[in-house]
Amino acid sequence: MAAASTDSIPSVNKAWVYSEYGKAADVLKLDPNVPVPEIKEDQVLIKVVAAALNPVDYKRMFGYFKATDSSLPTVPGYDVAGVVVKVGSQVTKFKVGDEVYGDLNEKALENPTRFGSLAEYTAAAERVLALKPQNLSFVEAASLPLAIETAYEGLERTEFSAGKSILVLGGAGGVGTHVIQLAKHVFGASKVAATASTRKLELLRSLGADLAVDYTKEKYEELPEKFDVVYDTVGESERAVKAVKEGGKVVTIVPGRVAAAAFIFILTSTGTILEKLKPYLESGKVKPVLDPTSPYPFSKTVEAFAYLETSRAIGKVVVHPIP
């Protein structure tokens, strides 16, 4: 049996839904009568306060990985921040009233949930959630899980450690902004270089980059120095391998043509990483980075997706309030 907070949880809620694959502007519709998901024994029901959008959301909506996707219709949204309103019988870490955040999908591309975060209520497994740091707003917290966990797992997989150097491709994006900060302030990098367009270079420096490379004016693979690790968030692994030291590592998070000397990984979402990083988030050493257009109201979710699809976003695009 699940313990409920009150009888105030409705049977239906407002949610963004798509029933066929395509662009958000064509297929994403607001439905006021979507059933509130039933929770399993190891899940909690969350009253959603904020949800962040990620490129994986629109790539999934385009049908890029339909072979491993769950069946349609789908409520999109991986990242969530909100309040627990109901807990499953096996849940021990959280109670009704807790403010939590997380990436709902343990395996991003394998049977992701049909009931994502772009709704008034969503269900989440206990293991993908963590308590929200008290100094962060729900909007800031929602921006973090998928991006910061991806940044962290990638650094771990390259065996990054104190004294090593790193080049981050796409330093102003959702993942890149966190790779810079984690490499510098958590892992103790000796040097952090990162690429972005001209207007975003100052942001890279403010996050901890020692060298901000304007990719519109110079080629990073022609820099005089090479790096222990190159973290590719943009899908340029074939160029990236030319910027790494002999014996160094190139990691990419963009499926497609991956250079033989690079490796790709897909995040395994877990609240453990968020718990590990909590002291850095609470101290302000690691900060959420929100696009200046954020947050978008719930009614403007289609516009938020259209903006994210331009690849011009700085940091994260977040939807709030809901509704």
Side-chain angles (χ1 to χ4, degrees), residues 291-311:
D291 187 88
T293 63
S294 287
Y296 285 76
F298 193 63
S299 61
K300 300 281 187 192
T301 297
V302 171
E303 287 86 341
F305 269 114
Y307 176 62
L308 188 65
E309 286 169 22
T310 67
S311 298

Side-chain angles (χ1 to χ4, degrees), residues 250-271:
V250 178
V251 59
T252 185
I253 56 170
V254 184
R257 280 181 63 185
V258 177
F263 71 91
I264 186 169
F265 81 97
I266 306 296
L267 171 69
T268 300
S269 165
T270 168

Side-chain angles (χ1 to χ4, degrees), residues 122-137:
T122 194
E126 177 181 41
R127 64 185 170 274
V128 301
L129 298 174
L131 290 171
K132 178 180 78 65
Q134 290 187 321
N135 61 313
L136 298 185
S137 69

Side-chain angles (χ1 to χ4, degrees), residues 74-309:
T74 295
V75 176
Y78 283 58
D79 283 330
V80 68
V83 180
V84 174
V85 293
K86 192 174 181 181
V87 298
S89 59
Q90 291 177 7
V91 171
T92 57
K93 280 201 299 193
F94 306 111
K95 62 185 186 305
V96 169
D98 281 348
E99 298 179 349
V100 296
Y101 72 132
D103 167 3
L104 298 174
N105 292 302
E106 193 168 12
K107 297 287 186 187
L109 309 184
E110 295 172 27
N111 201 32
T113 180
R114 293 178 55 214
F115 295 98
S117 56
L118 286 165
E120 291 178 89
Y121 293 88
T122 194
E126 177 181 41
R127 64 185 170 274
V128 301
L129 298 174
L131 290 171
K132 178 180 78 65
Q134 290 187 321
N135 61 313
L136 298 185
S137 69
F138 282 103
V139 169
E140 290 171 324
S143 78
L144 291 169
L146 187 148
I148 204 167
E149 290 177 37
T150 300
Y152 185 89
E153 187 177 333
L155 288 166
E156 288 259 284
R157 283 173 177 252
T158 64
E159 300 175 308
F160 198 73
S161 58
K164 290 186 178 179
S165 62
I166 187 169
L167 170 64
V168 185
L169 306 185
V175 174
T177 51
H178 288 300
V179 178
I180 293 170
Q181 294 185 83
L182 296 179
K184 190 74 173 181
H185 306 304
V186 178
F187 287 81
S190 61
K191 182 161 193 177
V192 176
T195 66
S197 58
T198 314
R199 69 188 179 94
K200 300 175 184 175
L201 298 179
E202 201 42 57
L203 170 70
L204 305 189
R205 296 185 189 104
S206 74
L207 295 173
D210 304 292
L211 176 65
V213 180
D214 186 341
Y215 70 74
T216 69
K217 295 178 180 166
E218 56 183 326
K219 292 184 173 177
Y220 57 81
E221 66 269 40
E222 293 175 2
L223 290 169
E225 63 195 298
K226 304 299 177 192
F227 299 88
D228 293 305
V229 169
V230 181
Y231 197 128
D232 168 30
T233 76
V234 294
E236 293 181 352
S237 62
E238 291 182 342
R239 284 177 64 194
V241 295
K242 298 172 186 168
V244 73
K245 285 180 184 174
E246 193 174 337
K249 295 183 178 176
V250 178
V251 59
T252 185
I253 56 170
V254 184
R257 280 181 63 185
V258 177
F263 71 91
I264 186 169
F265 81 97
I266 306 296
L267 171 69
T268 300
S269 165
T270 168
T272 310
I273 294 175
L274 299 177
E275 288 164 4
K276 238 183 241 181
L277 296 175
K278 192 175 185 182
Y280 299 95
L281 293 164
E282 287 183 331
S283 68
K285 276 189 173 175
V286 177
K287 298 179 174 71
V289 181
L290 297 170
D291 187 88
T293 63
S294 287
Y296 285 76
F298 193 63
S299 61
K300 300 281 187 192
T301 297
V302 171
E303 287 86 341
F305 269 114
Y307 176 62
L308 188 65
E309 286 169 22

